[in-house]
């Protein structure tokens, strides 16, 4: 069973950046497609982007283009999400998730525990 | 961008009753690309259904999904106390988007 363990809570100033990590265990990391989803307090789920760990290719939601970078380190089986130019609107729980790709669809079948990020002056 | 609209926003039912949750897409979504998730307070989401009607590993048979095109449904045949949660539909036919969620609460 794949397990995803995320880094701890972050408190950041407006205008700064945050980098959250997600370490995978229990599977072949190179075969993973990994995604980042965030959830603002009391709100729904919002897809940010994902990465194919084998090829290192990432794609991003249009909303976050230019502000988010997702990378993967196959040697440590860790995926990273860096979000820049933070504002209070970025205060949220950030989740990494692994996809189970079948056919052309990749639903998210394993989730990390979440990393709370607070942006406050 | 495909917008998913879930209805109702809140559904109040009693244990043992049948729950029917709706997810409508702003444009046609091949059913293969429609999934459902359950989220309980303080927890990460959990995959329930993928490809519109296939239960994920370990999901009880009381959960079922159906639909095609723009209209999809998640049904819980007989609600158990642990089923009261928020449910999200999600598509990855064109980029990725989630519905806004349906809160299933105890009546």
């Amino acid at each position: 069973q794949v397990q995803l363990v995320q880094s701890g809570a972050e408190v950041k100033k407006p205008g700064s950046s945050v980098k959250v990590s997600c370490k995978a265990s229990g599977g072949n990391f190179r075969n993973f497609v990994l995604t980042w989803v965030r959830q603002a307090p009391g709100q729904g789920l919002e897809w940010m982007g994902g990465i194919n760990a084998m090829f290192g290719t990432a794609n991003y939601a249009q909303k976050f283009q230019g502000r988010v970078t997702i990378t993967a380190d196959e040697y440590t089986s860790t995926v990273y999400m860096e979000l820049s130019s933070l504002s209070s609107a970025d205060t949220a729980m950030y989740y990494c998730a692994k996809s189970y790709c079948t056919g052309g669809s990749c639903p998210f079948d394993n989730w990390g525990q979440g990393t709370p990020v607070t942006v406050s002056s | 961008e495909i917008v998913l609209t879930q209805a109702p926003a809140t559904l109040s039912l009693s244990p043992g009753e049948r729950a029917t949750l709706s997810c409508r897409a702003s444009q046609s979504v091949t059913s293969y690309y429609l999934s459902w998730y359950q989220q309980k307070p303080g927890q990460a989401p959990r995959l329930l259904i993928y490809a519109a009607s296939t239960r994920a590993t370990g999901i009880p048979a009381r959960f079922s999904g159906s639909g095609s095109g723009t209209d999809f449904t998640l049904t819980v045949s007989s609600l158990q106390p642990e089923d009261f949660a928020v449910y999200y539909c999600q598509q990855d036919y064109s980029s990725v988007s989630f519905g806004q969620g349906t809160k299933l609460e105890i009546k």
Side-chain angles (χ1 to χ4, degrees):
Chain A
Q1 175 73 332
V2 174
Q3 191 170 18
L4 303 174
V5 178
Q6 298 182 222
S7 51
E10 300 270 8
V11 179
K12 293 293 183 179
K13 299 287 189 188
S16 67
S17 298
V18 67
K19 192 170 186 177
V20 182
S21 68
C22 171
K23 183 174 176 60
S25 62
N28 187 342
F29 185 79
R30 295 196 78 232
N31 291 339
F32 290 170
V33 174
L34 295 149
T35 281
W36 288 91
V37 173
R38 77 176 187 179
Q39 186 170 37
Q43 303 301 308
L45 303 171
E46 183 173 36
W47 178 73
M48 300 181 70
I51 188 166
N52 183 313
M54 178 176 290
F55 303 113
T57 52
N59 64 321
Y60 305 112
Q62 193 168 5
K63 174 178 179 178
F64 298 101
Q65 285 275 3
R67 206 161 69 89
V68 67
T69 304
I70 297 173
T71 55
D73 181 343
E74 66 172 302
Y75 298 105
T76 60
S77 299
T78 302
V79 62
Y80 299 91
M81 186 283 299
E82 184 168 22
L83 186 64
S84 62
S85 302
L86 293 170
S87 71
S88 58
D90 295 313
T91 293
M93 183 72 79
Y94 288 76
Y95 293 102
C96 68
K98 183 192 77 65
S99 292
Y100 167 65
C101 291
T102 171
S105 179
C106 294
F108 312 130
D109 68 332
N110 281 90
W111 293 71
Q113 82 277 18
T115 296
V117 175
T118 302
V119 182
S120 174
S121 56
Chain B
E1 179 190 339
I2 296 178
V3 176
L4 299 178
T5 302
Q6 294 187 239
T10 304
L11 184 58
S12 300
L13 293 170
S14 300
E17 291 192 293
R18 181 184 186 91
T20 302
L21 287 66
S22 171
C23 175
R24 177 163 291 178
S26 60
Q27 57 188 275
S28 184
V29 174
T30 303
S31 61
Y32 208 75
Y33 296 83
L34 195 288
S35 302
W36 290 92
Y37 299 82
Q38 176 193 67
Q39 188 179 32
K40 297 180 180 180
Q43 296 184 17
R46 175 173 72 147
L47 177 65
L48 294 177
I49 300 283
Y50 63 94
S53 61
T54 303
R55 281 188 300 278
T57 302
I59 302 303
R62 64 180 181 273
F63 290 92
S64 63
S66 63
S68 63
T70 59
D71 292 304
F72 298 88
T73 300
L74 174 70
T75 301
V76 189
S77 59
S78 178
L79 285 165
Q80 301 300 303
E82 61 269 26
D83 299 335
F84 292 92
V86 180
Y87 292 84
Y88 295 94
C89 57
Q90 174 249 328
Q91 65 80 27
D92 63 337
Y93 179 68
S94 174
S95 189
V96 176
S97 57
F98 289 91
Q100 83 280 14
T102 290
K103 181 180 181 181
L104 181 54
E105 64 177 23
I106 299 177
K107 187 173 182 180

